[in-house]
Amino acid sequence: DNNFLSFAKVRASWAEVGNDADPYLLQQVYQPQQLWDGSIPKFAENNEIANSTLRPEITTGIELGADLRFLNGRLGLDVTYYNQSTRDQILAVDISRASGYTSRVLNAGEIVNRGLEVMLSGTILELPGGFAWDASVNFARNVNEVIELADGLESLTLWGIRGASLEARVGEAYGNLYGRKFARTDEGDIIFENGFPTTLPGQHVIGNIQPDFI
């Protein structure tokens, strides 16, 4: 019986779920190719090395939240915090093509996601005849980190083009883009030599495919 806080609920949950691999990743199989001589079926060994000891991906997560409503339900606030860890991710890792193959299927590592979700809702207008205008706005932010990769892997390249690559590196955020970076002065201006911008040596983080927030 409170005119200000009309409803309050807290919640907590723990869950664990598995994710299996696509078919035909445990043993080497033959893949159909284009017809030979236009009529004879042709098959070739898969370019990807299968893994008979493959384990399923496991995602474990905890979630804490609160649902609060004020002023007899006209204003609501829903807040959620989550922490999820996905281990034994199933990925095809590139290998030297001198081996005769292009990639090998591995349980390639562990990634942790932590985030906050907030939703504010309210009744802007409510008339005696039953007409009501409700509105809501939500905010979400997720922060992730690559905790580990498979033995012998320092980084895992997921995509690349023209000197830029999407990589997973231990201790870095998943989705980081790496590439060349312009050399700049202390004031932030690009340094030019002979009319061309200069670049710093090595690869640097130049962006991330994940949004900062939604």
Side-chain angles (χ1 to χ4, degrees):
D1 187 14
N2 189 320
N3 291 330
F4 177 70
L5 180 62
S6 51
F7 180 88
K9 179 174 70 174
V10 294
R11 59 184 182 270
S13 64
W14 174 92
E16 186 171 84
V17 61
N19 183 34
D20 64 350
D22 291 333
Y24 314 116
L25 294 185
L26 301 182
Q27 295 181 351
Q28 291 300 109
V29 295
Y30 288 91
Q31 299 290 335
Q33 306 293 317
Q34 293 181 350
L35 294 175
W36 183 81
D37 200 22
S39 61
I40 300 176
K42 185 175 63 174
F43 293 84
E45 188 178 359
N46 196 345
N47 290 330
E48 196 171 77
I49 299 178
N51 186 347
S52 62
T53 63
L54 205 61
R55 300 182 301 275
E57 293 181 0
I58 299 294
T59 298
T60 305
I62 60 170
E63 183 176 299
L64 306 173
D67 183 2
L68 307 174
R69 300 174 198 172
F70 307 91
L71 307 176
N72 294 321
R74 293 200 63 167
L75 183 66
L77 177 65
D78 195 306
V79 181
T80 301
Y81 168 80
Y82 62 87
N83 188 321
Q84 290 185 342
S85 172
T86 302
R87 63 184 186 273
D88 290 334
Q89 286 195 306
I90 301 171
L91 295 172
V93 179
D94 290 341
I95 59 175
S96 171
R97 301 204 173 194
S99 64
Y101 301 90
T102 59
S103 58
R104 180 183 180 188
V105 179
L106 293 175
N107 291 111
E110 178 181 0
I111 293 179
V112 169
N113 283 275
R114 303 179 184 91
L116 182 69
E117 299 175 353
V118 180
M119 183 172 68
L120 180 65
S121 59
T123 300
I124 298 176
L125 181 64
E126 189 172 23
L127 300 180
F131 176 82
W133 177 19
D134 299 330
S136 63
V137 60
N138 59 70
F139 171 88
R141 173 169 168 78
N142 180 78
V143 178
N144 56 47
E145 181 184 357
V146 180
I147 302 299
E148 66 176 352
L149 295 173
D151 292 340
L153 276 181
E154 296 182 0
S155 66
L156 178 61
T157 300
L158 306 173
W159 172 86
I161 185 172
R162 295 184 180 179
S165 59
L166 173 64
E167 298 182 25
R169 296 187 182 183
V170 175
E172 301 285 345
Y174 178 83
N176 272 354
L177 292 164
Y178 296 86
R180 303 295 295 274
K181 201 170 187 179
F182 290 129
R184 296 179 181 270
T185 64
D186 294 337
E187 290 75 25
D189 298 323
I190 297 177
I191 299 174
F192 288 85
E193 288 185 4
N194 300 322
F196 294 95
T198 59
T199 57
L200 297 173
Q203 297 283 304
H204 302 267
V205 177
I206 57 175
N208 190 289
I209 64 172
Q210 308 287 349
D212 293 333
F213 62 89
I214 298 174

